[in-house]
Amino acid sequence: MANFTILDVLWAVAFLLLMVGGAFFFYRLARRSESDFFLAGRGLPWWLPASSVFSTHTATDTPMWVTGVIYANGLRGLWYTFFTAWTAIGAFVSARIFRRSLAYTQAEWQTQRFGGLGAEMLRGWMAGWQVFMNMFILGWVGIAMGKVCALAFGWPIWVGLVLPSAITAFYTLAAGYWGVVMGDFLQGIVAIFAIVLVSLVGVSAAGGPIGVTERIVAIGEQWRLDAFAFTGWVDGDFPVVWWLTMLVISVIGGFGMGTSIDWYVEAQRIQSAKTVRDATYGLWAGGAVTLIRNGFWAAGILAFFSMLPNIADAADYELGWFRLGFELLPTGLIGVFFGAILAIHLSTISSHLNLGALYFTRDIYQRYLKPEASERRLVWVGRVSTFVLLIGSFFYGLMMEEITRWLIFALWLMMAGIWLPNILQVVWWRFNAWGYLAGWMANLGVSWLVVWVLPAFGVLPKLPDHLQFWLLLALGAVVFVPVTLFTKPEKMDQLLRYYVMTRPIGWWGPVHREAVRRGLIEKTAAKSTESRPVIRRTWTPQQADEWTREDWIAVILSPLVFAALMIGVTKLLLLQPGGLWLVLGAVLGTGVIYWVIDPKLRAVSGEYEAQQARYVEQLEQRVRWQKEGGR
Amino acid sequence: MNEALPVSSTLSGVLWTWVVPVLLFAIAFVATWLLYRHFANRDEDS
């Protein structure tokens, strides 16, 4: 248990009151409309969604599983956390397309992308799934907090599960997404402070960077300092094929929507940004800071390993980073540290409470139960569904034991069979709702079969993670490809509406030609014979709508920058060779990306926002009902 | 069972017990207040 003094309790309570009170303060803004309650009125500058992306990616369970993979695998364990890198390409591709759709959720976006009965079935299914999934995530994050409270105070686990989540629900119910995003900003400040401080204190206590390195080398474990310490092409704990599979899943996944479970949360942040440009930078910066965070954590956890290298039980070493904070910080700062743990917990709980409520309110209640509901009623339904999600999460949480096992199952397998459909729905015009639905249903069945049921009966050997992914992907494709090709494509009018609005990347030739033929868009400027500079710095809105080499430069450089940041920060903190160069290279790469893509994003945003202001007004049906005497 | 870390804290004194927490609290408080004022005022203007 941590050694809490009165002063520590004072600081922990002060930061808790600030975080809850500060977020609650925004309730006046949240009660105005559905758009305010779930998207903060779609008017946030990029740095607020960015801080929210970071804070939401940082949950109480995150330091546990990051500690788990770094303690077990050394620096190469950082690649387990590189799934966040879907934001590297996602920021420049899927974020732009999704932001232009103006859909509140992916379920709503799919009724723009697809049409007819299939699209409605898909929307209902996705909404129900997301309500369940958010409850599930709330449960596992909640149980992680239960474990931390047990470590810090010796409380029964259920107390840590219920109490902090109930406090979070207080401001999430009142202030909706305004409370979530403002709380995230505030909580992000406190969390970054704690993460940086505890990691530096851990490294310092272990004898500084040189001391950590020498201790690890002395026990013959220097491979832990190498992020590329492969155990072979296909054999061992860290084969090259695993690493390549992970890169494909995360990096290429950025072309699609929903290839990571984090997508659904970040989709809300993308849509709450005030322009396409703000959405892009918000997602990119949030992802980058998250990976820098992992770099700091890794240094601290390697320091922890160097001091206690023989912990065999995962449930014990998963708490390593928390132990650094509770055992090494002085009186006063222990309270701040616990305040930071509360911060990362509150930010994740509030995000998933609000997101689950959004799917229920927008995609089930408003779409199918009461389409004519007033703004006031929708906000009320949002609050009730937030409360129901909270109660449901307590039951899920109490059913879970080990954090990492559930997380890896959810991250790795529950998405394997739908990874490709999630990309195809964005990049291929011919992919339809029936194909997507078939992929989903097939995945639900085969993922359980391949991972647990068939190995339990000896029908199939227990496969390594990367083989499970490719097998699930192939089995899914055997179902969804024929279903897509044997059913009709979406109607051209539906595709045209979607295409003109979002201008998606990929294979959209027939739709593009039809849009040109009907005069809905101008003929592709790129095909004209007019010469252009290598990097275009001045754009017309029509030119900016096309996908050009500037986009591809950002798409290629961005994952490299993310990887260099993540590895470089850890190496720099441990004074390892190459750390400084990796960080400097990442900073330079960031500058190049900005220089290349910013003029284009400004052109996209300027024209697009002007065109769609009226459409948003209709979409929201914004009624300021407090002017009508409502509350 | 967990053994204690074989090292002690490298931080101590009034700076880390009082000054740093107060500064962090003040920064977070002021940032929240400025955000609220910005967004509440912007709404009244529109």
mmCIF file of all heavy atoms in Angstrom, chain A residues 7 11 14 25 28 32 43 182 185-186 193 201 205 307 316 323 327-328 331 333 624, chain B residues 2-3 5 7 9 11 16-18 20-22 24-25 28-29 32 35-36 39 42-43:
data_model
loop_
_atom_site.group_PDB
_atom_site.id
_atom_site.type_symbol
_atom_site.label_atom_id
_atom_site.label_comp_id
_atom_site.label_asym_id
_atom_site.label_seq_id
_atom_site.Cartn_x
_atom_site.Cartn_y
_atom_site.Cartn_z
ATOM 1 N N LEU A 7 -1.416 15.414 3.749
ATOM 2 C CA LEU A 7 -1.117 16.319 2.633
ATOM 3 C C LEU A 7 -1.416 15.655 1.286
ATOM 4 O O LEU A 7 -1.953 16.290 0.372
ATOM 5 C CB LEU A 7 0.364 16.722 2.703
ATOM 6 C CG LEU A 7 0.803 17.782 1.681
ATOM 7 C CD1 LEU A 7 0.033 19.081 1.859
ATOM 8 C CD2 LEU A 7 2.307 18.037 1.802
ATOM 9 N N TRP A 11 -4.042 16.976 -1.601
ATOM 10 C CA TRP A 11 -3.778 17.238 -3.021
ATOM 11 C C TRP A 11 -4.643 16.369 -3.928
ATOM 12 O O TRP A 11 -5.141 16.833 -4.947
ATOM 13 C CB TRP A 11 -2.302 17.014 -3.333
ATOM 14 C CG TRP A 11 -1.432 18.173 -2.946
ATOM 15 C CD1 TRP A 11 -0.332 18.139 -2.152
ATOM 16 C CD2 TRP A 11 -1.616 19.540 -3.330
ATOM 17 N NE1 TRP A 11 0.195 19.405 -2.004
ATOM 18 C CE2 TRP A 11 -0.571 20.289 -2.728
ATOM 19 C CE3 TRP A 11 -2.544 20.225 -4.104
ATOM 20 C CZ2 TRP A 11 -0.448 21.654 -2.883
ATOM 21 C CZ3 TRP A 11 -2.412 21.593 -4.251
ATOM 22 C CH2 TRP A 11 -1.380 22.299 -3.657
ATOM 23 N N ALA A 14 -8.041 17.850 -3.898
ATOM 24 C CA ALA A 14 -8.058 19.141 -4.602
ATOM 25 C C ALA A 14 -8.082 18.937 -6.109
ATOM 26 O O ALA A 14 -8.871 19.572 -6.829
ATOM 27 C CB ALA A 14 -6.828 19.954 -4.192
ATOM 28 N N PHE A 25 -18.672 22.494 -14.898
ATOM 29 C CA PHE A 25 -18.933 23.906 -15.172
ATOM 30 C C PHE A 25 -19.514 24.123 -16.573
ATOM 31 O O PHE A 25 -20.205 25.100 -16.828
ATOM 32 C CB PHE A 25 -17.594 24.634 -15.049
ATOM 33 C CG PHE A 25 -17.710 26.020 -14.524
ATOM 34 C CD1 PHE A 25 -18.646 26.359 -13.568
ATOM 35 C CD2 PHE A 25 -16.851 27.009 -14.981
ATOM 36 C CE1 PHE A 25 -18.741 27.643 -13.084
ATOM 37 C CE2 PHE A 25 -16.937 28.299 -14.508
ATOM 38 C CZ PHE A 25 -17.886 28.617 -13.553
ATOM 39 N N ARG A 28 -23.836 24.221 -18.824
ATOM 40 C CA ARG A 28 -24.698 25.217 -19.485
ATOM 41 C C ARG A 28 -24.571 25.126 -21.001
ATOM 42 O O ARG A 28 -25.523 25.380 -21.730
ATOM 43 C CB ARG A 28 -24.314 26.625 -19.016
ATOM 44 C CG ARG A 28 -24.929 27.006 -17.687
ATOM 45 C CD ARG A 28 -24.608 28.447 -17.325
ATOM 46 N NE ARG A 28 -24.883 29.355 -18.414
ATOM 47 C CZ ARG A 28 -24.021 30.286 -18.855
ATOM 48 N NH1 ARG A 28 -22.849 30.397 -18.303
ATOM 49 N NH2 ARG A 28 -24.347 31.092 -19.836
ATOM 50 N N ARG A 32 -27.730 22.803 -24.542
ATOM 51 C CA ARG A 32 -28.370 23.556 -25.614
ATOM 52 C C ARG A 32 -28.943 22.685 -26.716
ATOM 53 O O ARG A 32 -29.990 22.975 -27.277
ATOM 54 C CB ARG A 32 -27.350 24.530 -26.236
ATOM 55 C CG ARG A 32 -26.869 25.562 -25.253
ATOM 56 C CD ARG A 32 -25.866 26.501 -25.880
ATOM 57 N NE ARG A 32 -24.712 25.806 -26.448
ATOM 58 C CZ ARG A 32 -23.576 26.398 -26.739
ATOM 59 N NH1 ARG A 32 -23.450 27.694 -26.530
ATOM 60 N NH2 ARG A 32 -22.577 25.728 -27.247
ATOM 61 N N GLY A 43 -17.270 22.861 -32.893
ATOM 62 C CA GLY A 43 -16.522 24.108 -33.063
ATOM 63 C C GLY A 43 -15.174 24.147 -32.365
ATOM 64 O O GLY A 43 -14.657 25.213 -32.058
ATOM 65 N N MET A 182 -13.363 19.136 -22.198
ATOM 66 C CA MET A 182 -12.686 20.110 -21.328
ATOM 67 C C MET A 182 -12.011 19.386 -20.152
ATOM 68 O O MET A 182 -10.916 19.755 -19.733
ATOM 69 C CB MET A 182 -13.681 21.148 -20.811
ATOM 70 C CG MET A 182 -14.266 22.002 -21.911
ATOM 71 S SD MET A 182 -12.979 22.770 -22.916
ATOM 72 C CE MET A 182 -13.948 23.400 -24.274
ATOM 73 N N PHE A 185 -8.797 17.937 -21.414
ATOM 74 C CA PHE A 185 -7.710 18.916 -21.528
ATOM 75 C C PHE A 185 -7.040 19.114 -20.166
ATOM 76 O O PHE A 185 -5.813 19.038 -20.028
ATOM 77 C CB PHE A 185 -8.255 20.243 -22.053
ATOM 78 C CG PHE A 185 -7.196 21.299 -22.237
ATOM 79 C CD1 PHE A 185 -6.306 21.219 -23.283
ATOM 80 C CD2 PHE A 185 -7.082 22.350 -21.350
ATOM 81 C CE1 PHE A 185 -5.308 22.179 -23.455
ATOM 82 C CE2 PHE A 185 -6.102 23.315 -21.507
ATOM 83 C CZ PHE A 185 -5.212 23.233 -22.561
ATOM 84 N N LEU A 186 -7.874 19.318 -19.180
ATOM 85 C CA LEU A 186 -7.399 19.525 -17.811
ATOM 86 C C LEU A 186 -6.676 18.271 -17.294
ATOM 87 O O LEU A 186 -5.576 18.347 -16.716
ATOM 88 C CB LEU A 186 -8.632 19.832 -16.959
ATOM 89 C CG LEU A 186 -8.530 20.042 -15.478
ATOM 90 C CD1 LEU A 186 -7.603 21.179 -15.182
ATOM 91 C CD2 LEU A 186 -9.912 20.355 -14.939
ATOM 92 N N PHE A 193 2.186 15.593 -16.808
ATOM 93 C CA PHE A 193 3.118 15.950 -15.729
ATOM 94 C C PHE A 193 3.533 14.690 -14.963
ATOM 95 O O PHE A 193 4.725 14.442 -14.730
ATOM 96 C CB PHE A 193 2.460 16.958 -14.785
ATOM 97 C CG PHE A 193 3.225 17.179 -13.519
ATOM 98 C CD1 PHE A 193 4.328 18.020 -13.487
ATOM 99 C CD2 PHE A 193 2.866 16.530 -12.342
ATOM 100 C CE1 PHE A 193 5.054 18.214 -12.319
ATOM 101 C CE2 PHE A 193 3.578 16.716 -11.167
ATOM 102 C CZ PHE A 193 4.683 17.560 -11.167
ATOM 103 N N VAL A 201 11.942 10.149 -12.503
ATOM 104 C CA VAL A 201 12.324 9.774 -11.139
ATOM 105 C C VAL A 201 12.749 8.303 -11.093
ATOM 106 O O VAL A 201 13.722 7.945 -10.428
ATOM 107 C CB VAL A 201 11.142 10.030 -10.167
ATOM 108 C CG1 VAL A 201 11.392 9.372 -8.819
ATOM 109 C CG2 VAL A 201 10.950 11.519 -9.977
ATOM 110 N N ALA A 205 16.374 7.152 -9.951
ATOM 111 C CA ALA A 205 16.537 6.306 -8.767
ATOM 112 C C ALA A 205 17.329 5.035 -9.085
ATOM 113 O O ALA A 205 18.024 4.495 -8.227
ATOM 114 C CB ALA A 205 15.161 5.937 -8.209
ATOM 115 N N MET A 307 15.791 -2.689 -11.604
ATOM 116 C CA MET A 307 15.862 -2.801 -10.146
ATOM 117 C C MET A 307 15.250 -4.103 -9.637
ATOM 118 O O MET A 307 15.718 -4.682 -8.670
ATOM 119 C CB MET A 307 15.149 -1.601 -9.500
ATOM 120 C CG MET A 307 15.872 -0.276 -9.748
ATOM 121 S SD MET A 307 15.119 1.102 -8.895
ATOM 122 C CE MET A 307 13.761 1.519 -9.980
ATOM 123 N N ASP A 316 1.737 -8.967 -11.062
ATOM 124 C CA ASP A 316 2.609 -8.170 -10.187
ATOM 125 C C ASP A 316 3.400 -7.129 -10.974
ATOM 126 O O ASP A 316 3.441 -5.962 -10.609
ATOM 127 C CB ASP A 316 3.584 -9.085 -9.429
ATOM 128 C CG ASP A 316 2.894 -9.840 -8.298
ATOM 129 O OD1 ASP A 316 1.828 -9.373 -7.848
ATOM 130 O OD2 ASP A 316 3.406 -10.898 -7.891
ATOM 131 N N ARG A 323 4.008 1.488 -9.029
ATOM 132 C CA ARG A 323 4.887 1.330 -7.863
ATOM 133 C C ARG A 323 5.994 2.379 -7.874
ATOM 134 O O ARG A 323 6.380 2.890 -6.812
ATOM 135 C CB ARG A 323 5.475 -0.081 -7.838
ATOM 136 C CG ARG A 323 4.432 -1.137 -7.482
ATOM 137 C CD ARG A 323 5.074 -2.483 -7.277
ATOM 138 N NE ARG A 323 6.113 -2.426 -6.242
ATOM 139 C CZ ARG A 323 7.013 -3.393 -6.051
ATOM 140 N NH1 ARG A 323 6.992 -4.471 -6.803
ATOM 141 N NH2 ARG A 323 7.916 -3.284 -5.105
ATOM 142 N N GLU A 327 6.111 4.552 -4.572
ATOM 143 C CA GLU A 327 7.246 4.248 -3.685
ATOM 144 C C GLU A 327 8.379 5.260 -3.771
ATOM 145 O O GLU A 327 9.199 5.350 -2.862
ATOM 146 C CB GLU A 327 7.778 2.840 -3.980
ATOM 147 C CG GLU A 327 6.768 1.748 -3.650
ATOM 148 C CD GLU A 327 7.304 0.336 -3.879
ATOM 149 O OE1 GLU A 327 8.516 0.129 -3.716
ATOM 150 O OE2 GLU A 327 6.496 -0.535 -4.237
ATOM 151 N N LEU A 328 8.434 6.049 -4.880
ATOM 152 C CA LEU A 328 9.578 6.945 -5.033
ATOM 153 C C LEU A 328 9.237 8.431 -4.888
ATOM 154 O O LEU A 328 10.136 9.252 -4.699
ATOM 155 C CB LEU A 328 10.248 6.724 -6.400
ATOM 156 C CG LEU A 328 10.901 5.359 -6.618
ATOM 157 C CD1 LEU A 328 11.554 5.288 -7.994
ATOM 158 C CD2 LEU A 328 11.947 5.080 -5.545
ATOM 159 N N THR A 331 6.224 12.960 -0.111
ATOM 160 C CA THR A 331 4.938 13.411 0.427
ATOM 161 C C THR A 331 4.448 14.622 -0.368
ATOM 162 O O THR A 331 5.220 15.500 -0.715
ATOM 163 C CB THR A 331 5.123 13.811 1.906
ATOM 164 O OG1 THR A 331 5.529 12.654 2.622
ATOM 165 C CG2 THR A 331 3.836 14.357 2.488
ATOM 166 N N LEU A 333 3.617 14.922 -3.470
ATOM 167 C CA LEU A 333 3.558 14.486 -4.871
ATOM 168 C C LEU A 333 2.853 13.137 -5.018
ATOM 169 O O LEU A 333 2.316 12.841 -6.082
ATOM 170 C CB LEU A 333 4.959 14.403 -5.465
ATOM 171 C CG LEU A 333 5.530 15.717 -6.015
ATOM 172 C CD1 LEU A 333 6.859 15.477 -6.703
ATOM 173 C CD2 LEU A 333 4.562 16.391 -6.992
ATOM 174 N N ARG A 624 -32.427 26.377 -29.786
ATOM 175 C CA ARG A 624 -31.947 26.800 -28.475
ATOM 176 C C ARG A 624 -33.146 26.865 -27.536
ATOM 177 O O ARG A 624 -33.761 27.895 -27.350
ATOM 178 C CB ARG A 624 -31.253 28.164 -28.576
ATOM 179 C CG ARG A 624 -30.056 28.151 -29.463
ATOM 180 C CD ARG A 624 -29.026 27.180 -28.872
ATOM 181 N NE ARG A 624 -27.942 26.962 -29.803
ATOM 182 C CZ ARG A 624 -26.827 27.685 -29.820
ATOM 183 N NH1 ARG A 624 -26.668 28.659 -28.989
ATOM 184 N NH2 ARG A 624 -25.891 27.407 -30.681
ATOM 185 N N ASN B 2 5.102 -8.846 -3.727
ATOM 186 C CA ASN B 2 5.988 -7.769 -4.165
ATOM 187 C C ASN B 2 7.042 -7.427 -3.116
ATOM 188 O O ASN B 2 6.701 -7.167 -1.970
ATOM 189 C CB ASN B 2 5.172 -6.504 -4.442
ATOM 190 C CG ASN B 2 4.266 -6.679 -5.631
ATOM 191 O OD1 ASN B 2 4.566 -7.465 -6.514
ATOM 192 N ND2 ASN B 2 3.163 -5.967 -5.641
ATOM 193 N N GLU B 3 8.316 -7.391 -3.545
ATOM 194 C CA GLU B 3 9.349 -6.853 -2.657
ATOM 195 C C GLU B 3 9.460 -5.359 -2.938
ATOM 196 O O GLU B 3 9.175 -4.904 -4.058
ATOM 197 C CB GLU B 3 10.687 -7.550 -2.904
ATOM 198 C CG GLU B 3 11.140 -7.520 -4.353
ATOM 199 C CD GLU B 3 12.494 -8.192 -4.569
ATOM 200 O OE1 GLU B 3 13.417 -7.879 -3.812
ATOM 201 O OE2 GLU B 3 12.594 -9.018 -5.491
ATOM 202 N N LEU B 5 11.021 -1.639 -3.708
ATOM 203 C CA LEU B 5 12.099 -1.190 -4.588
ATOM 204 C C LEU B 5 13.361 -0.959 -3.758
ATOM 205 O O LEU B 5 13.285 -0.378 -2.669
ATOM 206 C CB LEU B 5 11.696 0.121 -5.284
ATOM 207 C CG LEU B 5 10.649 0.002 -6.386
ATOM 208 C CD1 LEU B 5 10.165 1.385 -6.808
ATOM 209 C CD2 LEU B 5 11.223 -0.724 -7.584
ATOM 210 N N VAL B 7 15.627 1.123 -3.738
ATOM 211 C CA VAL B 7 16.164 2.495 -3.795
ATOM 212 C C VAL B 7 15.193 3.419 -3.079
ATOM 213 O O VAL B 7 14.059 3.040 -2.782
ATOM 214 C CB VAL B 7 16.335 2.979 -5.261
ATOM 215 C CG1 VAL B 7 17.421 2.224 -5.951
ATOM 216 C CG2 VAL B 7 15.024 2.855 -6.014
ATOM 217 N N SER B 9 13.590 7.676 -2.735
ATOM 218 C CA SER B 9 13.225 8.808 -3.575
ATOM 219 C C SER B 9 14.389 9.772 -3.754
ATOM 220 O O SER B 9 15.182 9.987 -2.836
ATOM 221 C CB SER B 9 12.051 9.547 -2.947
ATOM 222 O OG SER B 9 11.767 10.695 -3.710
ATOM 223 N N LEU B 11 13.625 12.847 -4.798
ATOM 224 C CA LEU B 11 12.983 14.162 -4.666
ATOM 225 C C LEU B 11 12.551 14.378 -3.218
ATOM 226 O O LEU B 11 12.060 13.464 -2.574
ATOM 227 C CB LEU B 11 11.732 14.254 -5.552
ATOM 228 C CG LEU B 11 11.894 13.955 -7.037
ATOM 229 C CD1 LEU B 11 10.547 14.076 -7.732
ATOM 230 C CD2 LEU B 11 12.890 14.901 -7.661
ATOM 231 N N TRP B 16 9.096 20.253 -3.939
ATOM 232 C CA TRP B 16 8.302 19.153 -4.499
ATOM 233 C C TRP B 16 7.037 18.884 -3.700
ATOM 234 O O TRP B 16 6.055 18.367 -4.239
ATOM 235 C CB TRP B 16 9.153 17.885 -4.578
ATOM 236 C CG TRP B 16 10.260 18.035 -5.566
ATOM 237 C CD1 TRP B 16 11.579 18.289 -5.292
ATOM 238 C CD2 TRP B 16 10.141 18.015 -6.983
ATOM 239 N NE1 TRP B 16 12.292 18.422 -6.461
ATOM 240 C CE2 TRP B 16 11.435 18.257 -7.524
ATOM 241 C CE3 TRP B 16 9.077 17.829 -7.877
ATOM 242 C CZ2 TRP B 16 11.685 18.300 -8.897
ATOM 243 C CZ3 TRP B 16 9.337 17.867 -9.241
ATOM 244 C CH2 TRP B 16 10.612 18.104 -9.732
ATOM 245 N N THR B 17 7.033 19.238 -2.427
ATOM 246 C CA THR B 17 5.855 18.967 -1.599
ATOM 247 C C THR B 17 4.780 20.042 -1.771
ATOM 248 O O THR B 17 3.589 19.739 -1.781
ATOM 249 C CB THR B 17 6.277 18.895 -0.117
ATOM 250 O OG1 THR B 17 7.291 17.916 0.002
ATOM 251 C CG2 THR B 17 5.116 18.522 0.763
ATOM 252 N N TRP B 18 5.210 21.291 -1.936
ATOM 253 C CA TRP B 18 4.252 22.391 -2.004
ATOM 254 C C TRP B 18 4.291 23.169 -3.317
ATOM 255 O O TRP B 18 3.257 23.365 -3.960
ATOM 256 C CB TRP B 18 4.492 23.372 -0.839
ATOM 257 C CG TRP B 18 3.987 22.841 0.454
ATOM 258 C CD1 TRP B 18 4.733 22.281 1.462
ATOM 259 C CD2 TRP B 18 2.617 22.780 0.884
ATOM 260 N NE1 TRP B 18 3.920 21.881 2.488
ATOM 261 C CE2 TRP B 18 2.618 22.179 2.168
ATOM 262 C CE3 TRP B 18 1.420 23.167 0.323
ATOM 263 C CZ2 TRP B 18 1.448 21.960 2.881
ATOM 264 C CZ3 TRP B 18 0.250 22.972 1.036
ATOM 265 C CH2 TRP B 18 0.267 22.365 2.291
ATOM 266 N N VAL B 20 5.621 22.750 -6.447
ATOM 267 C CA VAL B 20 5.257 22.106 -7.716
ATOM 268 C C VAL B 20 3.760 21.756 -7.772
ATOM 269 O O VAL B 20 3.085 22.067 -8.765
ATOM 270 C CB VAL B 20 6.145 20.853 -7.965
ATOM 271 C CG1 VAL B 20 5.643 20.064 -9.156
ATOM 272 C CG2 VAL B 20 7.588 21.294 -8.198
ATOM 273 N N PRO B 21 3.189 21.129 -6.714
ATOM 274 C CA PRO B 21 1.743 20.866 -6.768
ATOM 275 C C PRO B 21 0.901 22.140 -6.908
ATOM 276 O O PRO B 21 -0.068 22.163 -7.677
ATOM 277 C CB PRO B 21 1.464 20.164 -5.433
ATOM 278 C CG PRO B 21 2.748 19.527 -5.057
ATOM 279 C CD PRO B 21 3.811 20.474 -5.534
ATOM 280 N N VAL B 22 1.294 23.209 -6.199
ATOM 281 C CA VAL B 22 0.524 24.455 -6.299
ATOM 282 C C VAL B 22 0.594 25.006 -7.719
ATOM 283 O O VAL B 22 -0.413 25.439 -8.296
ATOM 284 C CB VAL B 22 1.054 25.501 -5.278
ATOM 285 C CG1 VAL B 22 0.497 26.882 -5.594
ATOM 286 C CG2 VAL B 22 0.674 25.092 -3.866
ATOM 287 N N LEU B 24 1.151 23.363 -10.537
ATOM 288 C CA LEU B 24 0.382 22.503 -11.443
ATOM 289 C C LEU B 24 -1.114 22.764 -11.285
ATOM 290 O O LEU B 24 -1.847 22.879 -12.272
ATOM 291 C CB LEU B 24 0.696 21.032 -11.156
ATOM 292 C CG LEU B 24 0.001 20.015 -12.046
ATOM 293 C CD1 LEU B 24 0.479 20.134 -13.489
ATOM 294 C CD2 LEU B 24 0.246 18.593 -11.552
ATOM 295 N N PHE B 25 -1.541 22.882 -10.042
ATOM 296 C CA PHE B 25 -2.954 23.149 -9.775
ATOM 297 C C PHE B 25 -3.363 24.486 -10.390
ATOM 298 O O PHE B 25 -4.416 24.605 -11.030
ATOM 299 C CB PHE B 25 -3.196 23.162 -8.259
ATOM 300 C CG PHE B 25 -4.647 23.207 -7.884
ATOM 301 C CD1 PHE B 25 -5.375 22.037 -7.721
ATOM 302 C CD2 PHE B 25 -5.303 24.422 -7.707
ATOM 303 C CE1 PHE B 25 -6.714 22.073 -7.390
ATOM 304 C CE2 PHE B 25 -6.638 24.470 -7.382
ATOM 305 C CZ PHE B 25 -7.343 23.287 -7.216
ATOM 306 N N ALA B 28 -3.619 24.278 -14.230
ATOM 307 C CA ALA B 28 -4.826 23.554 -14.654
ATOM 308 C C ALA B 28 -6.077 24.390 -14.400
ATOM 309 O O ALA B 28 -6.990 24.437 -15.237
ATOM 310 C CB ALA B 28 -4.913 22.224 -13.905
ATOM 311 N N PHE B 29 -6.116 25.075 -13.266
ATOM 312 C CA PHE B 29 -7.289 25.890 -12.926
ATOM 313 C C PHE B 29 -7.452 27.045 -13.916
ATOM 314 O O PHE B 29 -8.546 27.271 -14.451
ATOM 315 C CB PHE B 29 -7.140 26.427 -11.495
ATOM 316 C CG PHE B 29 -8.311 27.227 -11.029
ATOM 317 C CD1 PHE B 29 -9.403 26.604 -10.446
ATOM 318 C CD2 PHE B 29 -8.343 28.612 -11.193
ATOM 319 C CE1 PHE B 29 -10.501 27.335 -10.036
ATOM 320 C CE2 PHE B 29 -9.438 29.353 -10.796
ATOM 321 C CZ PHE B 29 -10.515 28.711 -10.201
ATOM 322 N N THR B 32 -8.580 25.922 -17.394
ATOM 323 C CA THR B 32 -10.008 25.586 -17.449
ATOM 324 C C THR B 32 -10.858 26.862 -17.466
ATOM 325 O O THR B 32 -11.816 26.978 -18.236
ATOM 326 C CB THR B 32 -10.397 24.736 -16.230
ATOM 327 O OG1 THR B 32 -9.510 23.629 -16.151
ATOM 328 C CG2 THR B 32 -11.812 24.225 -16.345
ATOM 329 N N LEU B 35 -10.685 28.554 -20.838
ATOM 330 C CA LEU B 35 -11.465 27.816 -21.834
ATOM 331 C C LEU B 35 -12.952 28.088 -21.673
ATOM 332 O O LEU B 35 -13.674 28.324 -22.651
ATOM 333 C CB LEU B 35 -11.209 26.305 -21.688
ATOM 334 C CG LEU B 35 -9.937 25.768 -22.326
ATOM 335 C CD1 LEU B 35 -9.716 24.327 -21.928
ATOM 336 C CD2 LEU B 35 -10.039 25.884 -23.844
ATOM 337 N N TYR B 36 -13.414 28.059 -20.435
ATOM 338 C CA TYR B 36 -14.839 28.292 -20.215
ATOM 339 C C TYR B 36 -15.230 29.692 -20.674
ATOM 340 O O TYR B 36 -16.228 29.875 -21.365
ATOM 341 C CB TYR B 36 -15.182 28.103 -18.734
ATOM 342 C CG TYR B 36 -16.661 28.312 -18.503
ATOM 343 C CD1 TYR B 36 -17.565 27.323 -18.851
ATOM 344 C CD2 TYR B 36 -17.147 29.515 -18.009
ATOM 345 C CE1 TYR B 36 -18.920 27.514 -18.691
ATOM 346 C CE2 TYR B 36 -18.505 29.721 -17.845
ATOM 347 C CZ TYR B 36 -19.386 28.713 -18.187
ATOM 348 O OH TYR B 36 -20.733 28.913 -18.042
ATOM 349 N N PHE B 39 -15.315 29.882 -24.600
ATOM 350 C CA PHE B 39 -16.432 29.231 -25.289
ATOM 351 C C PHE B 39 -17.778 29.811 -24.872
ATOM 352 O O PHE B 39 -18.692 29.901 -25.688
ATOM 353 C CB PHE B 39 -16.381 27.720 -25.082
ATOM 354 C CG PHE B 39 -15.344 27.074 -25.935
ATOM 355 C CD1 PHE B 39 -14.143 26.643 -25.397
ATOM 356 C CD2 PHE B 39 -15.531 26.925 -27.301
ATOM 357 C CE1 PHE B 39 -13.168 26.063 -26.181
ATOM 358 C CE2 PHE B 39 -14.555 26.349 -28.099
ATOM 359 C CZ PHE B 39 -13.364 25.919 -27.538
ATOM 360 N N ARG B 42 -18.007 33.144 -26.739
ATOM 361 C CA ARG B 42 -18.195 32.949 -28.170
ATOM 362 C C ARG B 42 -19.643 32.616 -28.473
ATOM 363 O O ARG B 42 -20.206 33.081 -29.456
ATOM 364 C CB ARG B 42 -17.290 31.819 -28.662
ATOM 365 C CG ARG B 42 -17.127 31.823 -30.154
ATOM 366 C CD ARG B 42 -16.193 30.755 -30.604
ATOM 367 N NE ARG B 42 -16.776 29.431 -30.439
ATOM 368 C CZ ARG B 42 -16.217 28.331 -30.918
ATOM 369 N NH1 ARG B 42 -15.070 28.390 -31.539
ATOM 370 N NH2 ARG B 42 -16.782 27.155 -30.750
ATOM 371 N N ASP B 43 -20.251 31.837 -27.582
ATOM 372 C CA ASP B 43 -21.641 31.475 -27.813
ATOM 373 C C ASP B 43 -22.555 32.685 -27.705
ATOM 374 O O ASP B 43 -23.475 32.872 -28.486
ATOM 375 C CB ASP B 43 -22.076 30.424 -26.803
ATOM 376 C CG ASP B 43 -23.487 29.988 -27.078
ATOM 377 O OD1 ASP B 43 -23.707 29.415 -28.153
ATOM 378 O OD2 ASP B 43 -24.362 30.261 -26.254
#
